[in-house]
């Protein structure tokens, strides 16, 4: 929270809950610009360097571009151990802070864990951005592999997708919609589970009034059980959406193409769906991850004593922002890059049924 964006977000909290949310959303939207430029430069550079390698097909055309992109993708994935290490730092520091609070340690100890937690939010956002970048490169490769596979199965050249065709454009719209629907379901799942936990905590406070005075121990296991079971149950629907959508769209438009004399229509529509979903997914994930982390760190900045400190109106507004940001940065955001890779892989594997 020593950086200007987080401090600006914290300052917005001083004028209420609404301005905190507005500032956080605008910060998340703005944060998509620079990473997209970096990813774009990386893809173009890798493709260009690959083309200069001298790899040619049987007709003498350069084919090294995809090879260069593949090497760049492997370069990003080869640092997976380091990325996982950075990603684990945040949850460990966050849990340490919780243990400090529950064990009633001195305030000075909590101040140290708060700083570590704030750093952890930053490392989590960084590693999720890294995952998004690798997903973009991987999806570009898988999309090219999909087009090659369609060409091989259909014995027809399939090198480009024309979004001026209405059906193909509709496939793109469906792909973009898929990202928003998936994000909505993921956030809604967190909200429903949070309501269950809150109701359980209220029940325990009523039945065990000594909890607030540390005379009785809460039933932690019940809350953990609610969250663990909901985490598995609630993600069935978003997961099914990612698997079923490309198959259903490809099959429906394959039948439509058969009756309209367009044999590759199903394959083209699914290709557009994958392209639009990848583009929207990258932007959405960047927005969710950055906004969520900034809301959390703005709250921690106020808790250091700035703008009234804990218990102030600014702090209450920042807590609201942090509550909104948690499903953004911990559920929907990280899930989107997995969704993008799932869509690309399923599309590639199921390519024959679209023909």
């Amino acid at each position: 929270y020593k950086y200007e964006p987080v401090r600006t977000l914290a300052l917005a909290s001083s004028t209420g809950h609404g301005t905190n949310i507005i500032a956080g959303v605008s910060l998340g939207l703005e944060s998509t610009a620079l990473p997209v430029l970096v990813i774009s430069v990386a893809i173009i550079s890798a493709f260009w360097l690959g083309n200069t390698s001298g790899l040619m097909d049987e007709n003498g055309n350069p084919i090294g571009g995809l090879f260069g992109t593949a090497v760049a993708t492997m370069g990003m994935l080869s640092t997976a151990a380091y990325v996982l290490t950075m990603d684990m730092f945040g949850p460990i520091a966050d849990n340490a802070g919780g243990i400090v609070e529950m064990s009633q340690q001195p305030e000075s100890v909590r101040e140290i864990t708060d700083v570590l937690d704030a750093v952890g939010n930053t490392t989590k956002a960084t590693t999720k951005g890294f995952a998004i970048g690798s997903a973009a490169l991987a999806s570009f490769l898988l999309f090219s592999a999909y087009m090659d596979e369609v060409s091989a199965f259909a014995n027809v050249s399939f090198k480009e997708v024309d979004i001026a065709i209405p059906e193909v454009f509709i496939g793109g719209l469906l792909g973009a919609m898929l990202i928003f629907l998936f994000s909505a379901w993921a956030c809604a799942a967190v909200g429903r589970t949070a309501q269950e936990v809150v109701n359980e905590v209220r029940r325990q406070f009523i039945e065990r009034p000594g909890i607030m005075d540390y005379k009785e121990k809460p039933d932690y296991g019940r809350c953990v059980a609610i969250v663990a079971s909901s985490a598995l149950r609630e993600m069935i629907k978003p997961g099914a959406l990612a698997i079923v959508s490309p198959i259903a769209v490809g099959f429906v438009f394959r039948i439509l193409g058969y009756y309209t004399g367009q044999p590759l229509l199903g394959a083209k529509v699914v290709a557009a769906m994958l392209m639009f979903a990848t583009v929207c997914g990258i932007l959405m994930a960047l927005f969710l991850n950055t906004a969520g982390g900034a809301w959390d760190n703005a709250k921690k900045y106020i808790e250091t004593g700035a703008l009234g400190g804990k218990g102030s109106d600014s702090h209450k507004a920042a807590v609201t922002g942090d509550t909104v940001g948690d499903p953004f940065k911990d559920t929907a955001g990280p899930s989107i890059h997995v969704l993008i890779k799932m869509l690309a892989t399923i599309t590639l594997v199921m390519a024959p049924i679209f023909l």
Side-chain angles (χ1 to χ4, degrees), residues 93-341:
D94 200 351
N95 282 0
I99 292 170
V100 166
E101 262 194 23
M102 287 191 293
S103 58
Q104 301 179 52
Q105 297 296 311
E107 188 65 26
S108 58
V109 179
R110 181 62 185 172
E111 289 173 2
I112 295 171
T113 56
D114 277 347
V115 174
L116 293 174
D117 194 8
V119 174
N121 287 328
T122 306
T123 59
K124 280 192 288 185
T126 303
T127 53
K128 286 168 185 137
F130 191 96
I132 294 163
S134 65
L137 287 169
S139 295
F140 179 73
L141 284 177
L142 290 171
F143 179 73
S144 301
Y146 167 75
M147 297 182 77
D148 289 341
E149 188 164 347
V150 170
S151 298
F153 276 103
N155 292 319
V156 178
S157 178
F158 186 49
K159 297 294 184 184
E160 58 187 25
V161 178
D162 186 1
I163 62 172
I165 300 172
E167 295 89 346
V168 176
F169 184 71
I170 289 171
L173 285 177
L174 292 173
M177 175 272 295
L178 182 64
I179 298 297
F180 287 87
L181 183 59
F182 180 89
S183 301
W185 285 358
C187 289
V190 175
R192 283 191 295 269
T193 306
Q195 287 177 329
E196 289 184 45
V197 173
V198 169
N199 289 332
E200 171 62 22
V201 171
R202 286 174 176 169
R203 182 191 66 80
Q204 291 193 30
F205 280 159
I206 293 171
E207 295 180 2
R208 304 181 184 184
I211 290 176
M212 295 301 291
D213 301 327
Y214 299 99
K215 295 176 181 177
E216 293 183 79
K217 276 194 173 182
D219 183 2
Y220 298 112
R222 177 61 188 148
C223 293
V224 172
I226 291 172
V227 174
S229 61
S230 295
L232 296 171
R233 183 181 67 251
E234 294 284 1
M235 289 309 291
I236 293 175
K237 191 166 69 168
L241 178 71
I243 296 171
V244 173
S245 296
I247 299 174
V249 169
F251 192 72
V252 168
F253 280 95
R254 172 196 171 182
I255 295 173
L256 182 62
Y258 175 78
Y259 286 108
T260 58
Q262 303 176 76
L264 291 181
L265 183 62
K268 290 177 180 178
V269 170
V270 172
M273 184 180 186
L274 177 59
M275 282 194 298
F276 279 61
T278 301
V279 171
C280 284
I282 291 169
L283 295 172
M284 179 66 84
L286 288 169
F287 159 64
L288 295 174
N289 289 332
T290 309
W295 268 317
D296 197 348
N297 280 353
K299 182 198 72 171
K300 286 184 170 55
Y301 175 58
I302 293 174
E303 287 175 349
T304 62
L307 301 171
K310 284 186 179 181
S312 64
D313 289 339
S314 298
H315 184 243
K316 292 175 183 176
V319 169
T320 299
D322 185 27
T323 305
V324 174
D326 275 343
F328 279 25
K329 67 183 174 68
D330 293 331
T331 305
S335 301
I336 287 177
H337 82 269
V338 179
L339 170 65
I340 293 171
K341 290 180 179 178

Side-chain angles (χ1 to χ4, degrees), residues 29-51:
L29 293 172
E30 184 183 1
S31 70
T32 61
L34 186 58
V36 166
L37 292 176
V38 172
I39 292 171
S40 302
V41 170
I43 291 175
I44 292 174
S45 301
F47 195 88
W48 180 81
L49 288 171
N51 269 336

